[in-house]
Structures are given as C-alpha cells and as structure tokens.
Amino acid sequence: MGQIVAIVGRPNVGKSTLFNRLTQSRRAIVDETAGTTRDRQYGKVDWNGREFSIIDTGGWVVNSEDIFEGEINKQVHLAIEQADEILFVVDAMNGVTDLDDSVAQILRRSKKPVILVANKVDSNDWLYNVPEFYSLGLGDPYSVSAVSGFGTGDLLDEVVKKLPEVDSDEQARLEALPKFAIVGRPNAGKSSLINAFIGEDRHIVTDIAGTTRDSIYTRYNKYGFDFYLVDTAGIRKKNKVNEDIEYYSVIRSVRAIEAADVCILMIDATRGIESQDANIFSLIQRNKKGLVVCINKWDLVEDKSQEAISHFEAAVRERFAPFTDFPIIFGSAITKQRIHKVLETAVAVYENRQRQIPTARLNEVMLDAIAAYPPPANKGKFVKIKYVTQLKEQRIPTFVFFCNLPQWVKEPYRRYLENKIRANWDFSGTPVNIYMREK
C-alpha cells in the first residue's frame, strides 16, 4: 500500500529541485517519468526497500507571478490532509521569512510527521545559517543541497524512519481479495458509479478504514462478487476544495491507484478524452495496475451507432498507445446501463493478472513465433532466443526470455513478443513485463 510524502514551502526555496533529486538522480529511481503536463510533480522513491510516492505541491501554484499567502496555505492544508508525511523546505541562504513562519504555524498544529529541510547549503559557509530555523519549532533542520545532493541520503533515511508503520493483519486481510479503484477527473461520474454499486444496499457492504486514514476499503459482496472498492476518503462527500480541484483529484487518484489491483477509469462521454484523463492513465501505467475504461454518460450521447462507438474506442486507444489491450465499456452510472458489466470486466482483468501459462505450452507457441520473425541481427551477430518461462507470484505477468545477447533485443522486438503473448492468451487490461536474460 503506497504511502505519500508531500513537499511544501514558499516559492523559490528549491522544492522542485529537491523533488527531482529524490525521484530521479539517485539509484532510488523506480520509474522514468513521462513528460505529461502535471506528471513531473509526482514520483516514486524506493529507499532501502521502502517504497513511497513523493508529491511536489509547488507545481500546482496557480499564476505564480502573484503568489500570496492564501495560495500557499491552501496547498499546505491539502498536503496535511492527503499526505502521510511532510517535507517543509526552507532556504538556508535567505533565513526565516514571514511566509515560512505562517507555514510552520499550520504544520505545528497538524498531527502529521514533519521534517524541516534547510535547502541550498551549497557550501559549508551556509551551514552557519541553519540553526536559526530552530525558531520555527519543528525540531532539527536537515541541511541539504538539492543541487549537489549533499545531505539527501540522511534525509531519506529520516523520511523512511518517520513513515507510519503498516498494520500487517490489516494488510493480510486486504491482500486476500481483489481491490478495485474507480478513478477519473472531477465530474466524470465516479461518485455516481460508486453509489450505483453501493447506494441502495449499504447494509451488504462493510467499511474498513484503510492502512492510512485516507483510503477506505468498502467490501462489496453480492451477486456472486466479492472484492474491495477502494474509496479515497470523502469521494462521496462534496469536494471541500473547489479551487484546486485538479491538484486535489491528482493526489486522490494517486492514493486510490496505489491501493488497488485494477483501476476503473471513468471518461465522460460528453467531453471526450482530455489531458487529465491521459495523466491519470499514465499514473495507472506507471504503477503497473490493471485497467478497465468506462465511458460514462453514454445515455446523454445522441449518436449511439456502432460506428460512433468504434470511432470513440479508436480515439481512446490511440491516445493511450502503446498500451492498447484493455477493455472499454460504454455505460451510464445514472441509468445503471451496463454497470454490472463493468464489475464483471474488472474481475476478469484481475484474473488475467494472475494467469500462469504452462512453460511447455509457452515455449511451443513463442519459439515458433520467434522462428517466424527472429530478432534483427546487430553488426553481423545474431540473437538466439533459446527458452522462455513465466515467473511465479509476480505482481503482474512477467516473462523471461533466455538468449545469447540480451542487450541487443530492442523495444520494438519486445513489443512483438508481448503482442504474440497477448494474441495467444488473454492478458487484456493488465500490463505485461518482458525481460531478456543471458542463457
């Protein structure tokens, strides 16, 4: 279950530089971040075996020309509400400012663990300025230079130490059943869908507060289904924060996606695919989760011909390429049209994630496919793939191809192998890992 660390602070203290340092330039990197609009504010860090997500609130400031206190306070409140731990960044070259004081005041009242980070200690001279930050009343400041990386290892050790422990009994109970999250941008119909599933029959579902107070798992146990719906806190309440709705929905999506096995991505049929949909899709992809796309509000669309459906489907797959093997369902949460089908499909995708192919059958099919179209030669040398196996008990289906020159098998050929696997076995809706190893 992912945990979230938020970076807060006034403008120009180096929040984004610190974010980039922690997510990318160390070996801690788990994933290269695609450059979609808001993506650079969300990254994953794996430090000494503890994985967590990190969010740079600074990237969400609107009209950064005239940043006023209210804007920053709003972000700090959002971070307090949504994150498990907060990094409060201050500038060692400038010392304490009024804005730092007001942020510190809010943080002192919060119940969240806060780490004070004195950034821009780019040479020893600046170390002498750091003690004045004790006046903020948030404990020992950590001296770092986000530019050079100085001090960031100690900082990450402290971050991991302060992350709340995960309750192992709770974890085991949650591991046992599939977990589905309903995600999408604001007003795509998430709440209506949750209410359509759960609404009338609140007595047949039980709420378990999640491992963090921000994810609630609602057990759904009827019509032969048994799974948890991951509901991020307050998704059924009216959104408290109307101004920063996009920032809010991204953090909330991060929470829900990390806690789920399969994500049901809601797209508003009346608005088509927007950049926010693509952002949420890329979060699902980077977290390697199963995917069902639900085109909601189909009852409001005038042209419901087969041609219109095919056109819409093609547009969705083109926008989300290269991953195109996922189910798309047209329905309506309000009229309840095909919402049962959404659940059936999510269950099928969950089963596809668990699918194991017998090794003999895998080799029989794949070695023929490789013989029919071998990997391209490189500098007169030929890549020979001898054997393929599927690893057991992986989070997603993972296939290892053993060959003589693994480093020469490039992305297009891996895609060919993946497409052949998908053509022969049903892995619809789930990502697949393809690895090359030396035999």
Side-chain angles (χ1 to χ4, degrees), residues 191-224:
S191 311
S192 314
L193 188 64
I194 290 175
N195 290 335
F197 289 155
I198 287 172
E200 326 71 44
D201 299 298
R202 278 320 306 248
H203 61 277
I204 52 106
V205 294
T206 46
D207 281 354
I208 295 188
T211 42
T212 64
R213 68 173 188 81
D214 294 320
S215 290
I216 298 188
Y217 296 89
T218 302
R219 185 154 174 195
Y220 181 99
N221 186 359
K222 62 174 175 177
Y223 306 132

Side-chain angles (χ1 to χ4, degrees), residues 72-289:
I72 292 159
N73 289 352
K74 196 160 62 184
Q75 289 186 22
V76 173
H77 282 299
L78 280 172
I80 288 171
E81 197 169 314
Q82 292 291 325
D84 296 298
E85 184 177 329
I86 293 161
L87 298 184
F88 174 27
V89 184
V90 291
D91 179 340
M93 292 183 180
N94 281 354
V96 178
T97 68
D98 294 350
L99 212 43
D100 293 329
D101 269 331
S102 68
V103 171
Q105 217 172 336
I106 305 172
L107 290 175
R108 283 199 304 270
R109 287 198 297 269
S110 84
K111 298 282 177 281
K112 292 286 166 82
V114 176
I115 297 176
L116 182 57
V117 184
N119 188 26
K120 304 195 187 176
V121 181
D122 299 339
S123 72
N124 286 341
D125 300 347
W126 298 109
L127 277 169
Y128 300 113
N129 292 8
V130 171
E132 73 168 282
F133 292 109
Y134 278 102
S135 71
L136 296 172
L138 288 166
D140 297 334
Y142 274 74
S143 304
V144 305
S145 164
V147 171
S148 70
F150 160 75
T152 48
D154 292 344
L155 175 62
L156 281 168
D157 288 343
E158 183 63 13
V159 168
V160 166
K161 204 160 77 188
K162 283 197 166 173
L163 274 175
E165 278 307 312
V166 176
D167 175 348
S168 51
D169 296 349
E170 168 88 341
Q171 201 72 353
R173 189 162 64 233
L174 291 172
E175 300 284 298
L177 285 177
K179 294 175 289 303
F180 301 151
I182 296 169
V183 294
R185 57 185 165 67
N187 307 325
K190 299 186 292 293
S191 311
S192 314
L193 188 64
I194 290 175
N195 290 335
F197 289 155
I198 287 172
E200 326 71 44
D201 299 298
R202 278 320 306 248
H203 61 277
I204 52 106
V205 294
T206 46
D207 281 354
I208 295 188
T211 42
T212 64
R213 68 173 188 81
D214 294 320
S215 290
I216 298 188
Y217 296 89
T218 302
R219 185 154 174 195
Y220 181 99
N221 186 359
K222 62 174 175 177
Y223 306 132
F225 291 117
D226 193 3
F227 58 83
Y228 285 111
L229 268 178
V230 181
D231 180 6
T232 47
I235 220 164
R236 283 183 232 132
K237 296 199 290 281
K238 266 281 166 275
N239 222 335
K240 285 205 288 284
V241 183
N242 298 326
E243 311 91 329
D244 262 347
I245 205 147
E246 185 176 0
Y247 169 69
Y248 207 65
S249 69
V250 170
I251 284 204
R252 195 161 265 180
S253 303
V254 168
R255 271 251 176 260
I257 289 165
E258 294 195 336
D261 297 307
V262 177
C263 298
I264 298 167
L265 173 57
M266 306 281 288
I267 292 178
D268 181 337
T270 62
R271 308 221 352 220
I273 316 161
E274 299 184 334
S275 63
Q276 177 79 344
D277 299 318
N279 284 347
I280 294 174
F281 171 78
S282 76
L283 288 173
I284 295 170
Q285 275 279 278
R286 262 188 290 152
N287 281 286
K288 301 247 186 251
K289 302 297 183 177

Side-chain angles (χ1 to χ4, degrees), residues 405-434:
L405 300 163
Q407 67 280 18
W408 285 359
V409 179
K410 299 291 181 253
E411 194 50 45
Y413 195 76
R414 283 173 198 222
R415 204 162 287 155
Y416 165 75
L417 295 175
E418 181 181 328
N419 290 341
K420 280 291 170 206
I421 290 172
R422 290 182 184 279
N424 284 280
W425 295 282
D426 186 359
F427 286 107
S428 172
T430 179
V432 165
N433 282 337
I434 304 277

Side-chain angles (χ1 to χ4, degrees), residues 48-93:
N48 295 341
R50 278 295 286 278
E51 191 179 87
F52 57 91
S53 290
I54 199 155
I55 289 190
D56 167 18
T57 61
W60 269 276
V61 168
V62 213
N63 347 329
S64 43
E65 293 357 9
D66 54 359
I67 290 168
F68 51 99
E69 213 169 316
E71 195 61 60
I72 292 159
N73 289 352
K74 196 160 62 184
Q75 289 186 22
V76 173
H77 282 299
L78 280 172
I80 288 171
E81 197 169 314
Q82 292 291 325
D84 296 298
E85 184 177 329
I86 293 161
L87 298 184
F88 174 27
V89 184
V90 291
D91 179 340
M93 292 183 180

